Amino acid sequence: SAVISQKPSRDICQRGTSLTIQCQVDSQVTMMFWYRQQPGQSLTLIATANQGSEATYESGFVIDKFPISRPNLTFSTLTVSNMSPEDSSIYLCSVVNRVWDTEAFFGQGTRLTVV
Amino acid sequence: GQQLNQSPQSMFIQEGEDVSMNCTSSSIFNTWLWYKQEPGEGPVLLIALYKAGELTSNGRLTAQFGITRKDSFLNISASIPSDVGIYFCAGRTGGSYIPTFGRGTSLIVHP
């Protein structure tokens, strides 16, 4: 399976600021996703990160709030913009390699607290 | 959209006991997945099931893909303290690589 590294692993941020989370994979993968996991909750898909084009967002998530980049097959970023305490969550990067027909694998997550 | 009902929500057991949790869906899935998430980590895939009726083991873990394709269960035998974590079921339809997740079962094992 791919090794997925997320940075930072945790952060405490002031409301109104923005945080960019990085996801680096040790091999090329066909699909990359970003999830949010609110305290004590399940995983909610934010968007699919598309290489070289705009991400595909799920209902309830918009590009202005969660801009995503994916410049190549091994790297993606998620920005949480204009943060409020309601954005306090774990944000998870996930990858699927359709070439090897794998299931979804996850990074270790970024625990964000907004104060 | 598709919804997964996972139960129980939490379990508090003694070391050595067996554990059983299940997941049901209002719609059919082609793939059932079971993940474990430990504190401070992302979910880790434990077992993947691809065929109705399939029974698959991974060490002390056994999972089954229900005949109706709308349910799955996970059993853990002879639990140990390191089994502590949140277990998520997830279902995937044939046309998508994106799983739908259940709400998780939080497992606490007392030594």
Side-chain angles (χ1 to χ4, degrees), chain A residues 23-80:
Chain A
C23 179
Q24 178 73 56
V25 192
D26 70 341
S27 58
Q28 293 185 346
V29 291
T30 44
M31 306 183 79
M32 296 183 78
F33 307 95
W34 288 98
Y35 285 82
R36 182 174 72 182
Q37 185 178 22
Q38 293 177 304
Q41 300 297 314
S42 186
L43 285 73
T44 301
L45 182 64
I46 297 172
T48 301
N50 299 311
Q51 185 201 357
S53 65
E54 190 173 292
T56 304
Y57 289 86
E58 298 298 305
S59 175
F61 297 96
V62 295
I63 187 171
D64 290 346
K65 177 66 176 178
F66 298 102
I68 289 170
S69 77
R70 190 182 173 192
N72 56 51
L73 293 177
T74 64
F75 186 77
S76 178
T77 67
L78 167 74
T79 299
V80 186

Side-chain angles (χ1 to χ4, degrees), chain A residues 67-107:
Chain A
I68 289 170
S69 77
R70 190 182 173 192
N72 56 51
L73 293 177
T74 64
F75 186 77
S76 178
T77 67
L78 167 74
T79 299
V80 186
S81 303
N82 188 25
M83 288 183 285
S84 66
E86 292 70 35
D87 294 320
S88 298
S89 285
I90 298 172
Y91 292 87
L92 293 155
C93 172
S94 174
V95 305
V96 170
N97 194 326
R98 291 170 61 182
V99 173
W100 300 326
D101 201 22
T102 63
E103 299 298 339
F105 291 95
F106 289 84

